[in-house]
Structure formats: structure tokens, C-alpha cells
Amino acid sequence: MSRTKLDLWVGFFVVIGMGALLFLALKVGNLGGSNFTDTYVVMARFDNIGGLKVRAPVKSAGVVVGRVTNIGFDTSGYRAEVTFALDTRYQFPRDTIATILTSGLLGEQYLGLDPGGEAEMLKGGEVVQITQSAVVLEKLIGQFMFDKAAEAPAN
Amino acid sequence: MNGLLNVVRLLGAMVTEAIWRTGFGARFFILLLRHSGQSLTRVHLTIRELYFSGVLSLLIIVVSGLFVGMVLAMQGYETLQRYGSGDALGVLVALSLTRELGPVVAGLLFASRAGLAVTAEIGLMKTTEQLDAMDMMAVNPIARVVAPRFWGGVISMPLLAALFSAMGVFGGWLIGVVLIGVDEGAFWSQMQAAVDFRFDIMNGVVKSVVFGAAVSLIAVFEGYDCTPTAEGLSRAITRTVVTSALAILALDFVLTSLMFRGQS
């Protein structure tokens, strides 16, 4: 086989391989769109984070505005410390409420942000003061059964 | 008593042989790396090997990727549907392909399609004393014959694995969306939400590079080390396929437990 034809075929092969990788990155992965370039990091402490995981989305009004970057445990207050990166395009007031929510009944958990009304905005490295823990389904069911048992007429 | 001693002696010989071969393989690898300069400066040597190991493997990779993705979608949908989450089909197909099946199955195909051919070629060169002839002409056979084949394999393997995963996702889309009727928007958006570029796709690429290096090293080593007879050559080829398959599966377990354990 001649040299130029060989080069042509190998070039063709490399282009196809790179194209496949590009397809994986843009169409299958989340490189396009939801990847944030400029971010600022904020922290929030929760009593219970349920099944929240690192890289879970942070949403406000249903729009993804950031991602959870780290989850730790604060031994001084025995609470979970959730660190998350927010896109710099989105600024939130300082009295924003951070809640752990579930998408769907059994879907993955995400961090929801409900903006407050304060004029001053959250800055990088600050801590969100008002938080609401995850709803633990087992606790809810336990509570419900306890209430039902208390309601039942004694006989 | 004598028979028992013989068994023990056989065991000892096997262990010594295995250790000796591992050491020889490691020294061969270092020698190969030291003589790799030429295969990078005289690019056409490597390009020729890229053609043989990469371009000629395209068809089998594309077809198997497509069918693996299609089967994955069919079987996955069956199970997911039972729990009412058929929309998550895209996630299942994409994650299993980019993390595991892409690199592993492409690596196994690559070993039996390209690795075997490399062993046969080098082994036959050795059997017909072409390697010795080269040495006599002051051409280093490792730099001229072995290194380009090794680098050709290392370069083409990640490209083939990426192609395999992409074709698999396409096959999954074909069965899931076109045939079964999973919602197309949910298929892609859930996939994009779950598959992380750096975490899932790049780790898959790292895996395929490691597998490519392992398979290529085993292939060139078995060829170079074969007993120069017809029988020795056939045994070397068999060993290449068996050792590469075992190496890929073992390395995959190690890499997976390093990359993905305890995270998500």
C-alpha cells in the first residue's frame, strides 16, 4: 500500500476516534452546558443530609446553578458540612434558605436554594445560615404510625 | 515418595519459570522504552502499525459496539421497566459503556484482533531469523520492529474504546428510543445529568490506555520471546490471547476499585 493512502486511512481512523470521544464528551457527558467555569464556593451545615452525594446538582427554582463539591462532618456541632460551588452569574441574598430535596418520589437528592430578601449577597467562603434537612422517609412513616396508634380508641 | 518429590520439583520449576519470565518481561519493557525514540522520530513506522492495529480493527469494534449497546438497552429496559424507571435507560447504557464495557470489551477484541497478529508477525520474524539478520546489519530489532508495534497499540486502543462506547450509546438509543419508545428527551437529559466528563469518561479513557499498553506489551513480548519453532510460535500466540484477556480483567478490577470505589 502506498504511503499516502496509508496516511489517509490512519488520519481517517484518528478523526473517527476523536469524533467518538467528542460525542461522548458533549452528548453523553455533561461537558457542554452544565459545566461551570467561574464559581464561588459556599458552605451550609445540615442536621441530616439524607442521601445527598458529592457532585449532586444545586438548584434554584428548578434551574441548576451549581454543584456539591464536598461533604464533611463537623465534630463541634455533630452536623454535616456541605460545600458547594455556585456559578458566579448567579448571586444569592445572604438570607437564602438551603434545603435538601428529592427529585421525584425516589429520585436522586439535590440541594435547593430559596432566595431570601436581603440586599447583601452571599460571597465565596461564606456559610448559608438557614438550612432545612432532608426528609427521611422512614422517620416520616414512623411518626405517622405513632400518631395513628395514639389516635386509635383504647378498648 | 519419588513421585511426590517430582511433583514438588515441578511446582518449583513452574514458580521459578514464572518469576524469571516476569523479570525478563520487565527488562524487555525498559529496553523497549529506551529504544522508543526512533519510533517517534521515524513516524511512518508507527503510522504503518496504526493502520494494521487501528484501521483494520474499525469494523469489528463498530459492529460489536453497536450490538453490545443494543443488547444492553433491551435487557436493561426489561429490568428498569419493572421498577417504573424506564427513562433511566440512557444512564444505564452510557455509564456501563463508558466506565466498564467500552474499555474492557474493546480491549478483549483488540487483543484477539491486533495483539495476536503482532505476536504472530514478530514470532515468525524470529523463527525465520529475520530479527537476527537485522541485528547483524546493526539495525536494532527492538527499535525497528518492536517499539512501533507497541506504540501503535497504545495509541489506537483509547480511540477504539471511545468509538466502541459511542457506537454502544448509539445502539442503545436505537433500541431504547426508536424501537421501544423511551422518551428521547429523558433518555439524553438523564444521561447527561448522570455521566460526568472527568469522572466517568476520562477514567474510561485512562483504563483503555492502560489496557492498550498491557495488551501491546504482552503481544510484542510473547512474539519476541517465543521458541523459534512452528510449535513454539503457536504456543506463543495462544499465550498472548490468554494472558492479555486475564491481564485486562485483572487490571480492570484494580482500576475500578481505585477509581470508583466509595464514590457515587
Side-chain angles (χ1 to χ4, degrees):
Chain A
M1 188 176 283
S2 74
R3 178 87 173 268
T4 46
K5 211 169 166 193
L6 205 74
D7 287 351
L8 186 70
W9 273 107
V10 171
F12 182 62
F13 165 62
V14 172
V15 167
I16 288 184
M18 288 292 175
L21 202 60
L22 207 68
F23 167 78
L24 287 179
L26 296 179
K27 187 84 186 171
V28 176
N30 54 7
L31 197 63
S34 65
N35 225 29
F36 308 110
T37 44
D38 290 330
T39 57
Y40 61 103
V41 176
V42 181
M43 210 239 283
R45 292 195 180 89
F46 293 91
D47 290 329
N48 191 337
I49 57 164
L52 193 74
K53 291 190 180 95
V54 173
R55 293 191 303 127
V58 179
K59 293 184 188 178
S60 186
V63 181
V64 179
V65 294
R67 256 174 219 291
V68 174
T69 53
N70 190 36
I71 294 175
F73 189 63
D74 167 29
T75 41
S76 62
Y78 297 108
R79 302 175 82 194
E81 272 183 356
V82 176
T83 320
F84 51 99
L86 294 171
D87 196 308
T88 32
R89 282 177 301 171
Y90 309 121
Q91 299 289 326
F92 288 91
R94 295 194 59 179
D95 57 347
T96 293
I97 305 172
T99 321
I100 292 174
L101 299 162
T102 312
S103 54
L105 194 59
L106 297 166
E108 62 163 356
Q109 291 193 302
Y110 64 94
L111 198 64
L113 294 180
D114 289 317
E118 210 167 295
E120 232 179 297
M121 294 295 172
L122 272 174
K123 284 189 284 286
E126 283 190 328
V127 178
V128 176
Q129 295 301 334
I130 316 166
T131 62
Q132 216 174 71
S133 289
V135 175
V136 179
L137 212 56
E138 290 91 321
K139 268 190 190 170
L140 216 61
I141 293 170
Q143 186 93 44
F144 174 75
M145 284 180 16
F146 191 74
D147 288 353
K148 272 284 171 211
E151 260 176 40
N155 48 6
Chain B
M1 189 64 201
N2 226 352
L4 194 70
L5 271 182
N6 262 342
V7 169
V8 175
R9 192 179 301 139
L10 213 67
L11 190 73
M14 268 168 65
V15 171
T16 320
E17 169 80 8
I19 292 174
W20 184 84
R21 273 182 71 82
T22 312
F24 188 55
R27 279 174 58 199
F28 180 78
F29 183 50
I30 291 167
L31 207 63
L32 187 147
L33 289 183
R34 271 181 45 201
H35 289 287
S36 289
Q38 209 184 38
S39 62
L40 300 177
T41 47
R42 292 173 67 189
V43 186
H44 77 270
L45 287 177
T46 312
I47 284 189
R48 193 177 156 277
E49 296 317 319
L50 267 176
Y51 177 80
F52 284 116
S53 61
V55 177
L56 296 182
S57 306
L58 272 180
L59 190 66
I60 190 172
I61 289 290
V62 166
V63 172
S64 351
L66 198 63
F67 277 93
V68 166
M70 288 186 344
V71 168
L72 210 58
M74 251 179 216
Q75 294 286 12
Y77 186 74
E78 196 83 350
T79 311
L80 287 174
Q81 185 59 13
R82 204 167 292 171
Y83 300 101
S85 43
D87 285 348
L89 186 65
V91 180
L92 174 95
V93 171
L95 274 187
S96 38
L97 276 166
T98 52
R99 283 186 178 187
E100 296 292 338
L101 286 176
V104 170
V105 180
L108 292 175
L109 289 172
F110 182 76
S112 42
R113 166 67 191 73
L116 190 147
V118 165
T119 308
E121 201 180 0
I122 297 179
L124 195 69
M125 279 180 166
K126 188 181 178 187
T127 311
T128 53
E129 296 176 343
Q130 291 181 47
L131 294 182
D132 296 334
M134 266 184 197
D135 230 357
M136 296 285 266
M137 293 189 293
V139 175
N140 189 331
I142 290 191
R144 179 67 179 75
V145 174
V146 172
R149 281 164 180 73
F150 175 77
W151 288 111
V154 172
I155 295 169
S156 51
M157 185 51 213
L159 297 173
L160 290 173
L163 188 63
F164 186 95
S165 300
M167 287 314 293
V169 170
F170 175 67
W173 172 83
L174 217 58
I175 288 293
V177 175
V178 178
L179 199 76
I180 297 177
V182 175
D183 182 56
E184 174 146 27
F187 184 86
W188 289 114
S189 70
Q190 292 213 14
M191 188 191 293
Q192 280 163 9
V195 179
D196 186 66
F197 177 71
R198 234 171 297 159
F199 187 67
D200 297 313
I201 297 174
M202 280 327 275
N203 273 350
V205 172
V206 169
K207 269 187 181 180
S208 58
V209 172
V210 172
F211 296 165
V215 169
S216 303
L217 180 65
I218 289 167
V220 293
F221 176 67
E222 291 291 356
Y224 195 79
D225 184 50
C226 82
T227 319
T229 57
E231 198 204 340
L233 183 56
S234 86
R235 291 179 74 158
I237 292 170
T238 313
R239 265 208 307 269
T240 298
V241 177
V242 174
T243 320
S244 334
L246 290 179
I248 286 172
L249 295 173
L251 279 173
D252 183 52
F253 175 74
V254 172
L255 288 177
T256 299
S257 54
L258 283 180
M259 287 167 174
F260 297 113
R261 214 184 60 140
Q263 300 169 51
S264 89

